[in-house]
Amino acid sequence: MSTLMIYGATGYTGRMAAEHAKGQGLDVVIAGRNAEKLQSLAAQLDVPYRVFNPDAQATNALEGIAVLLNFAGPFAQTAAALMQACIKAGVDYLDITAEINVYRQAEQRGAQAAGAGVMLLPGVGWDVVPTDCLAMQVARRVQEPHSLRIALQVAGSMSRGSALSVSEIMDAGLLARVDGLLVATPDAPPRHFDFGDGPVLCAPLSFGDLVTAWHSTGIPDIAMYVHVSGDAFPHGDLSQLPDGPSVEQREAHRARAVVEVSGANGRVARSMIETVNGYAYTPLVAVEAARRVLEGDRRPGFEAPGRIFGSGFAETIDGTTISDD
């Protein structure tokens, strides 16, 4: 089988991914919960569609599918059921979430997925592809790496789906990885990171990298931070937000992340990755990840993007650069 299903295809980022996948010549089926929107998009793209909820009955809707790429957030409401359906149906599962609890669920299902010959690969979007790949690269520059710090810069307008996902991340509480274990760190202080324009204060936050970076680098101490600037994080009723930023807004704000790794000898290596806006990057890299899995670049069980595709995967998207300190 070589068919890709994009679930949540009528959403802000899912639509861009569906259009890109069709443009790449992939065999695509779009899916989701809204029949009217799916029918309209399917007609525009000239692709088949399937309507189903992410629940126990989803297995039947995956017949003939090789890879499911999930764009339907908040992922706390869709990922667990879709992962389980994929395991039962023998379908590889990918998504674009940054919600840490989804990674923990995927990790817990890793052995079950491996037994079924299925790969669970969350995080094939802006987070965590660039940070996972960069962490692997920077870790190689120090001897006996023991501490990893990752900081994301969030600038420009946020989509409704992202805002809802960030709410899920915040509800998970502050976590860090200490001696290889995920622990609550409610009193974790902010830290300064430089994204190219001087140091800025970044708040601790629990992204999926706390799981993926552990698998990709083996570094025992990992902490995540974020710097939100401008109107990036909205307030009020998040369900009333627009779908997402316009093309002009996306083009005005590039995406940046910084990775720092400390070695046993006290040496600190630091790099920054910069690329196109995260909302432009995500559909491109997610479809590329799906294409590679369809072509056999896969390993059953729970996986992280850098581990399965290599540390240079993030740079395969045009406009991506890495600078080292």
Side-chain angles (χ1 to χ4, degrees):
M1 293 185 294
S2 59
T3 301
L4 167 66
M5 173 178 283
I6 296 180
Y7 192 83
T10 61
Y12 176 72
T13 313
R15 177 181 290 267
M16 289 190 283
E19 292 170 348
H20 182 59
K22 174 67 175 180
Q24 292 291 300
L26 298 182
D27 183 8
V28 182
V29 174
I30 62 171
R33 291 163 283 192
N34 189 308
E36 185 177 352
K37 290 183 178 180
L38 282 166
Q39 185 177 28
S40 175
L41 181 58
Q44 292 175 35
L45 298 180
D46 190 25
V47 298
Y49 70 95
R50 300 180 189 178
V51 183
F52 63 95
N53 292 317
D55 55 25
Q57 306 304 316
T59 302
N60 296 331
L62 298 178
E63 184 178 356
I65 303 299
V67 174
L68 172 70
L69 179 52
N70 181 18
F71 283 86
F75 293 85
Q77 299 176 13
T78 64
L82 289 176
M83 281 191 281
Q84 200 60 38
C86 283
I87 291 172
K88 290 181 180 178
V91 174
D92 289 331
Y93 172 90
L94 283 65
D95 70 32
I96 61 161
T97 190
E99 298 171 31
I100 186 168
N101 284 337
V102 172
Y103 293 82
R104 299 172 79 177
Q105 292 167 356
E107 187 181 39
Q108 291 165 4
R109 288 177 167 85
Q112 182 190 10
V118 168
M119 182 168 66
L120 302 179
L121 181 63
V124 292
W126 160 245
D127 191 60
V128 301
V129 168
T131 45
D132 196 46
C133 291
L134 191 60
M136 293 175 68
Q137 293 186 30
V138 180
R140 298 189 188 113
R141 294 165 49 200
V142 302
Q143 294 181 351
E144 299 180 45
H146 70 81
S147 177
L148 167 63
R149 294 168 295 278
I150 301 171
L152 300 175
Q153 182 186 54
V154 179
S157 300
M158 188 177 290
S159 74
R160 180 173 60 249
S162 293
L164 292 169
S165 275
V166 170
S167 294
E168 294 287 345
I169 293 168
M170 295 174 71
D171 287 346
L174 287 181
L175 301 168
R177 193 168 289 275
V178 180
D179 292 332
L181 301 176
L182 276 178
V183 298
T185 55
D187 300 319
R191 287 199 56 211
H192 285 87
F193 291 86
D194 189 346
F195 297 97
D197 299 313
V200 294
L201 195 62
C202 299
L205 200 63
S206 307
F207 283 95
D209 299 82
L210 294 174
V211 177
T212 56
W214 164 243
H215 286 270
S216 296
T217 69
I219 296 175
D221 294 348
I222 305 171
M224 288 286 305
Y225 301 85
V226 64
H227 175 72
V228 179
S229 62
D231 60 351
F233 192 76
H235 301 281
D237 186 354
L238 301 182
S239 67
Q240 299 303 309
L241 291 172
D243 285 349
S246 66
V247 173
E248 292 76 19
Q249 289 171 323
R250 293 200 301 265
E251 291 177 349
H253 298 283
R254 289 174 63 79
R256 297 181 180 89
V258 170
V259 167
E260 294 181 353
V261 176
S262 300
N265 61 358
R267 168 174 163 73
V268 178
R270 183 182 298 104
S271 294
M272 181 180 76
I273 189 164
E274 178 177 344
T275 188
V276 295
N277 184 274
Y279 292 111
Y281 185 92
T282 292
L284 298 178
V285 78
V287 169
E288 174 60 16
R291 185 190 67 78
R292 293 189 181 202
V293 176
L294 286 167
E295 292 182 352
D297 203 353
R298 58 184 301 278
R299 188 162 48 234
F302 170 76
E303 275 299 340
R307 269 173 52 100
I308 197 69
F309 301 127
S311 63
F313 178 56
E315 298 163 81
T316 61
I317 303 304
D318 288 344
T320 305
T321 60
I322 292 175
S323 54
D324 301 326
D325 281 1

